[in-house]
């Protein structure tokens, strides 16, 4: 997807009504007070000797930077929010609300904008070392933890 297509999808997310219960449809997940969408990603690295990872990280990093720049042009400088260990939860930690629980399980920071009455969040997530890099966007009324 291009940056213009990312912006179009983000605008559609911002306009959608939040569902009463969690719903997952393909590349999108929604629930009470939030929507998350996969904007793009790289291939996985299960059969990679490590040579493709740096190139893939550069590619997704460039997409992420272009999206952050476009959103900054619309809504001003973002807040960069670090998701430290409490955002990832633990046996003694309080429960983290969605979408922050899902986001915090796969990334250590996000770019945030407060737009009208909702948070707009963009980030790159990645699970295990063999997993792809994924460019994500979300809209939520839930404040970051």
């Amino acid at each position: 997807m291009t940056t213009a297509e990312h912006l179009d999808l983000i605008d559609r997310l911002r306009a959608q009504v939040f569902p009463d219960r969690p719903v997952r449809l393909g590349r999108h997940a929604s629930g009470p007070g939030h929507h998350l969408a996969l904007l793009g990603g790289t291939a996985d690295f299960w059969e990679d000797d490590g040579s493709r990872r740096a190139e893939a990280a550069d590619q997704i990093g460039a997409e992420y930077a272009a999206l952050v720049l476009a959103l900054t042009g619309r809504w001003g400088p973002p807040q960069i929010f670090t998701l430290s260990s409490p955002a990832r939860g633990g046996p003694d930690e309080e429960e983290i609300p969605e979408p922050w629980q899902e986001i915090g399980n796969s990334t250590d920071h996000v770019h945030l904008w407060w737009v009208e009455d909702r948070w707009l969040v963009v980030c790159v997530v990645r699970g295990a070392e063999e997993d792809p890099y994924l460019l994500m966007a979300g809209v939520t009324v839930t404040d970051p933890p």
Side-chain angles (χ1 to χ4, degrees):
M1 291 176 78
T2 66
T3 300
E5 291 169 321
H6 295 329
L7 294 172
D8 181 60
L9 178 56
I10 288 168
D11 288 341
R12 285 185 278 137
L13 288 176
R14 291 181 53 237
Q16 286 181 357
V17 174
F18 298 120
D20 294 332
R21 59 184 171 76
V23 177
R24 194 170 284 274
L25 296 169
R27 299 165 58 131
H28 306 286
S30 295
H34 73 275
H35 299 295
L36 290 175
L38 174 63
L39 301 176
T42 67
D44 65 45
F45 304 104
W46 286 100
E47 296 184 22
D48 181 40
D49 62 3
S51 60
R52 290 188 346 221
R53 286 189 187 114
E55 182 180 327
D58 288 345
Q59 177 223 334
I60 203 76
E63 271 189 71
Y64 185 40
L67 181 57
V68 168
L69 184 63
L71 292 169
T72 298
R74 282 184 172 190
W75 296 306
Q79 296 179 42
I80 299 173
F81 185 76
T82 301
L83 298 166
S84 59
S85 56
R88 290 183 170 81
D92 297 331
E93 303 293 336
E94 66 183 71
E95 185 173 331
I96 303 299
E98 292 298 349
W100 302 108
Q101 181 68 39
E102 185 168 342
I103 294 169
N105 285 334
S106 302
T107 193
D108 59 357
H109 77 279
V110 299
H111 283 76
L112 287 170
W113 292 262
W114 179 252
V115 180
E116 297 167 3
D117 61 346
R118 298 174 181 200
W119 288 104
L120 169 61
V121 55
V122 294
C123 59
V124 173
V125 300
R126 186 171 183 212
E129 180 138 337
E130 297 83 13
D131 291 342
Y133 294 103
L134 303 173
L135 181 59
M136 302 281 300
V139 176
T140 183
V141 294
T142 306
D143 289 336

